[in-house]
Amino acid sequence: CSVCTSPLVVMEVLAQRRGLVSTMKICCTNTECGKESKISDPYSPESKSFNARSVLAMREFGRGRTYMDSFFGMMDMLPPVSAPSYMLHSQALADASMSAANDNMIAASAYLHRLKGVEPDDILDVKVTCDGTWSR
């Protein structure tokens, strides 16, 4: 400790855990000194991002929260986000994905209309590939 030179310990505040992120503190072992410093914050934007990335990883694998719970248990990790929180993260990811897809399709349509030199409201006959094969 910088105040009393006693040893320090790292502690987890379980009551402040959010999903995979916990509050960690460095505390002085001398109870009369009482010096402590918080070294992580589960309420920070980075923490929310970490939990969202864990949900995204499971969605990328084609798995849901039940598998996430089993996987984290097998790996001896902290339990994942709660079911309601998992659903909120999943919905936010789905909304962002749909928005990006729509923006991309609108931009592609505008590009093709400019390329063909036609009005934006005109219907074009173009070939589109979705899965690596050409289609009419």
Side-chain angles (χ1 to χ4, degrees):
C1 176
S2 61
V3 176
C4 68
T5 67
S6 296
L8 300 173
V9 294
V10 177
M11 298 175 57
E12 178 182 13
V13 183
L14 293 174
Q16 294 181 3
R17 190 174 72 76
R18 295 190 63 176
L20 298 172
V21 184
S22 297
T23 296
M24 301 295 285
K25 296 191 306 186
I26 297 177
C27 303
C28 180
T29 55
N30 180 356
T31 56
E32 293 179 13
C33 174
K35 176 129 173 101
E36 67 179 39
S37 298
K38 188 160 66 167
I39 57 174
S40 67
D41 181 11
Y43 299 96
S44 70
E46 294 83 14
S47 298
K48 185 175 181 182
S49 172
F50 187 78
N51 285 323
R53 285 192 307 258
S54 69
V55 172
L56 176 62
M58 287 299 121
R59 304 297 296 171
E60 286 293 319
F61 296 146
R63 301 296 183 159
R65 188 184 178 284
T66 303
Y67 181 82
M68 184 184 206
D69 202 25
S70 298
F71 177 75
F72 284 20
M74 286 185 287
M75 298 302 291
D76 199 23
M77 296 172 64
L78 290 172
V81 294
S82 65
S85 200
Y86 183 88
M87 293 305 296
L88 288 173
H89 285 299
S90 289
Q91 188 60 53
L93 291 167
D95 292 346
S97 178
M98 187 62 75
S99 176
N102 285 333
D103 291 348
N104 195 6
M105 288 185 280
I106 290 168
S109 173
Y111 173 75
L112 287 172
H113 281 86
R114 279 194 313 273
L115 188 67
K116 297 279 188 176
V118 295
E119 294 295 317
D121 294 338
D122 289 349
I123 296 174
L124 296 177
D125 184 20
V126 295
K127 293 179 177 24
V128 177
T129 182
C130 295
D131 62 352
T133 61
W134 286 94
S135 175
R136 285 193 136 168

